[in-house]
Every structure is written in C-alpha cells, then in structure tokens.
Amino acid sequence: MKTLLKLTALLTGVVIAGCSSGSSNPKTVHSANGNAGMVQADLSPLGADATYNAPRTLDNFNDYVVFLKRKAAGQGVSKAVLSQQNNIRYIDAAVRLDQKQAGLAERRKNQPPLPPNPNGVTNYIAKHLTQAKVDKAEENYWDVRTQLQNASRQYGVPQEYLLALWGMESSFGYYQGDYDVLSVLATLAFDGRRENLFGKEFINAMKMLEAGHLNRAQMQGSWAGAMGQTQFMPSSYLNYAADGDGDGMKDIWSNEYDVFASIANYLHSVGWDSNLPWGVEVTLSQPLDLSLAGTEKGKARSLSQWQSMGVNINGFNAARTNALASTDLWLVRPDKEVGRAFLVTNNFRTILDWNRSSYYALSVGMFADRIKAATGL
C-alpha cells in the first residue's frame, strides 16, 4: 500500500469523484501542495457503522475526509463546523511512524520470544527516570505549586503524581507536538491499520471544535493525535479535560490550572484512592508461580496473605506499610521470574488505565516518590 500511495502522490491537479458505498461523492480538487478545495461537498449524516469501500489511493483521500465528516454529522457535529474544517492534508510522516511502530511489534510477534531480561525494569527506569528529570520536576514545582495544589484538593490526587505524569507525558509542557490533529487522525484512519480507532478520534476532534473548546489553529499535537501538555487523545479530552481556574475553558495546551485539573480528573475518574500509595518493591523468599502475578481483579490478595507466601517488603516505611495492610494488593513481575517484583495497589492500576505498560506505571510511581522526597511534599 505504501508503494501505491507514493505513486498516486505524484498525481496533482486531479479532479476526484468518490465511488464508494457510503462515500461522499463530492467534487474535490487535490492541489499540488496537498491542500483540498471542496466544492459542494455532501455533508449529509452517515451512521456509525458506515464503511468506506473505495480504493485507499491518495487521490481518494479528500473523498475519505468528507466520508469522516459525514460520520461526524451523524453524531451531532453541525454542518457549519464541518464546512469550516478545510486544508485537512495527508501526512506521510504519520503513516511512516505508525508503520515503524507496527513493524517493530510484528517482528517481535514473528520471532521466538526473547528470554526474560532480569534488568528490564532497571534499564527502563535508568533511561526514563533520570536524576536530571527529578531535578527539573523539583525546579518546576515551585513555579506551578498553586496550580498543583488546586487540582490536588479538588480531585484528591497527590501533587507528586500530577507532576510526575506531566513530566513523563510532555517533559513538563515542553514537548506537545506541532502536527495538525485533524490531518494526522484522518491520515491514520485512511491508512487503514487502525481505522476504527483513528476514525473515532477524528470524530471526537470535530466534537471538540463543535463545543467551542478551542479553534482549529490551536488543535495541534503528536503524529498520532495526542494533544497538549497532558497528551490527551480527543476521546480523553472529551471525557477528562477539566477547567481548573473557572474561566470556562479547558486549555491543556497553555494553562497549567487546566493541565493539572485534567490529569487529576482522569485519575480520579478511573478510581484513584487518595489514601493509598502506588505500591512497593518486594523480595520473594521462595519461588512463586508466575500465574499468581498480574493486575487482574481475581489476583488481588491482602498484605498478610502475600507475606505468608514469602513476599516481603523491601525496607520499612510505617505509613506506607500500614496503608498497604488495609487494601487489596497485586503482585507485579514485569520481567517474569528473573526480575524485580512489586506489590501494587489499585492506584497503580489507574496509572495502567492511562498507559498499559507496567514499566511506564512503575516509572510514574517511582517518579512521584522521588518528587515527594525532593520537594518535601
């Protein structure tokens, strides 16, 4: 498909007529610079189950954009808003990056599984949680502590976790991405590998514009459509973005009141418990079957039950141990039987809701601990 797209990309100044079942059939001019001028495009609503059956060649891209707009119309986005969203372009870089990500996963799937790495967690933490990052978090804390405190009080999520996620997601607001979100979402949906996901996100981005949360020029993000200092996809924005300073806006791009309120609202909404830590590292004094590890609901046990099975907390912190003794705990062994082990609370599982990687969730929890120690929170 990539070769076909490159060949058709050479065709410019072509008049396109959509020919798909459920497509828009607009008269579309595809210009040499990739911009599109829609002439009397049909924006009548389509149902959520409508499919696009025309060839996925670049000369049909503009037709496909109108198809997505019609699906957005079917979910309540007005014709006025849809008509205003022009210059939605095919972003080749987004496809290349997505294919690279998919290719790595495919190669791993088709190869024999690698032996467990005893240093997997350690190596990940060393790369993603540096002392420089902790120092930067401490430095930033004093500049944004009022915003952090407001969000923490309102949603019951400790400040150190909000600061940790901010640092992990956008390097404290520094990296947000400068891709046009509608363009990359339409491109990735058109590419087809994850059409359902990116098509829905395109529609949700249109819903954001319909609600007046921001204008099109502000809607910039990563190559996959994640936006702002929180790196929310449009669906996460609609579900969790919050107005932290009461100005009527939910600005996750430039307003730290809204940034921290949105992070806190996300964690609170998926089950954060303000009385619990994320977890603790443990040592196993005897072999345990790997099937006991994992964060599935049925694998939870009490601290005393885990201790009776030879799971011992590393070090001693009275407050943390007492908190752990009062709740369900899960055993997490990211590197299987050869690596480090952790007992985690449901708060760890809420971080997994944000990002399904155990390595990532551990790095956020450890980052929060180090921020707390550095700032005296």
Side-chain angles (χ1 to χ4, degrees):
M1 174 180 169
K2 185 175 180 181
T3 302
L4 185 58
L5 288 176
K6 286 185 175 179
L7 289 172
T8 54
L10 299 174
L11 301 175
T12 58
V14 178
V15 177
I16 300 165
C19 57
S20 63
S21 171
S23 78
S24 52
N25 293 320
K27 182 180 179 182
T28 308
V29 178
H30 182 77
S31 67
N33 64 7
N35 298 335
M38 297 293 180
V39 180
Q40 297 179 343
D42 175 11
L43 293 178
S44 58
L46 285 174
D49 59 348
T51 59
Y52 187 84
N53 298 321
R56 300 302 172 98
T57 54
L58 194 58
D59 54 347
N60 278 336
F61 177 70
N62 295 326
D63 183 48
Y64 182 80
V65 169
V66 178
F67 165 75
L68 288 179
K69 287 183 175 183
R70 293 181 64 190
K71 293 188 77 171
Q75 296 190 34
V77 181
S78 67
K79 183 176 180 179
V81 167
L82 295 171
S83 298
Q84 291 166 4
Q85 310 315 316
N86 299 313
N87 196 31
I88 296 176
R89 296 163 287 110
Y90 185 88
I91 307 294
D92 184 64
V95 175
R96 285 188 280 106
L97 289 166
D98 188 57
Q99 289 175 340
K100 180 180 179 181
Q101 185 181 80
L104 290 173
E106 187 65 24
R107 284 197 294 275
R108 294 191 191 104
K109 185 177 72 175
N110 292 331
Q111 292 176 349
L114 294 172
N117 179 3
N119 299 312
V121 168
T122 301
N123 292 343
Y124 184 93
I125 296 300
K127 179 179 180 180
H128 295 277
L129 181 49
T130 62
Q131 184 59 47
K133 186 171 283 188
V134 175
D135 293 342
K136 186 66 175 177
E138 181 182 8
E139 177 186 333
N140 275 280
Y141 171 73
W142 303 108
D143 294 329
V144 297
R145 63 187 183 277
T146 299
Q147 296 93 317
L148 284 167
Q149 289 165 0
N150 283 4
S152 181
R153 280 195 301 266
Q154 183 171 358
Y155 295 99
V157 180
Q159 298 173 61
E160 59 267 26
Y161 288 93
L162 306 181
L163 193 52
L165 278 165
W166 184 44
M168 287 295 185
E169 287 298 323
S170 64
S171 192
F172 311 102
Y174 177 77
Y175 175 77
Q176 301 183 40
D178 57 3
Y179 288 92
D180 175 60
V181 167
L182 287 182
S183 290
V184 294
L185 294 175
T187 297
L188 292 169
F190 181 69
D191 183 60
R193 188 174 79 85
R194 292 185 285 174
E195 181 174 12
N196 187 51
L197 167 65
F198 289 112
K200 288 179 179 178
E201 293 296 350
F202 179 93
I203 292 167
N204 283 330
M206 286 292 188
K207 290 178 180 179
M208 290 173 59
L209 294 168
E210 176 75 25
H213 294 303
L214 75 170
N215 60 49
R216 170 75 179 282
Q218 294 171 298
M219 190 178 278
Q220 295 191 331
S222 75
W223 64 265
M227 302 176 295
Q229 298 186 40
T230 59
Q231 287 294 278
F232 277 179
M233 295 296 285
S235 57
S236 292
Y237 182 94
L238 291 175
N239 288 329
Y240 304 116
D243 176 8
D245 59 359
D247 66 354
M249 304 299 292
K250 300 175 182 179
D251 179 3
I252 60 173
W253 291 265
S254 60
N255 184 329
E256 277 82 18
Y257 283 98
D258 295 355
V259 168
F260 297 128
S262 298
I263 296 172
N265 185 41
Y266 188 115
L267 295 177
H268 170 78
S269 297
V270 298
W272 189 272
D273 186 334
S274 60
N275 296 314
L276 296 177
W278 65 268
V280 67
E281 188 162 4
V282 296
T283 301
L284 308 183
S285 63
Q286 63 187 39
L288 281 181
D289 194 297
L290 274 176
S291 65
L292 297 171
T295 56
E296 295 88 345
K297 187 174 181 180
K299 293 185 176 181
R301 288 175 169 79
S302 68
L303 178 60
S304 61
Q305 287 175 314
W306 285 118
Q307 289 173 327
S308 71
M309 299 164 68
V311 180
N312 302 308
I313 294 175
N314 292 1
F316 180 74
N317 179 301
R320 179 165 295 209
T321 301
N322 289 338
L324 295 175
S326 65
T327 190
D328 286 339
L329 300 172
W330 289 261
L331 180 66
V332 172
R333 304 173 73 179
D335 301 319
K336 301 183 179 179
E337 63 269 75
V338 300
R340 295 161 69 178
F342 306 85
L343 283 180
V344 302
T345 70
N346 191 61
N347 284 348
F348 181 89
R349 296 168 84 222
T350 69
I351 302 172
L352 284 179
D353 190 275
W354 182 293
N355 184 317
R356 296 304 304 172
S357 166
S358 290
Y359 283 1
Y360 178 89
L362 286 169
S363 72
V364 170
M366 293 180 184
F367 195 9
D369 288 344
R370 292 176 67 177
I371 290 170
K372 184 174 183 178
T375 59
L377 283 168

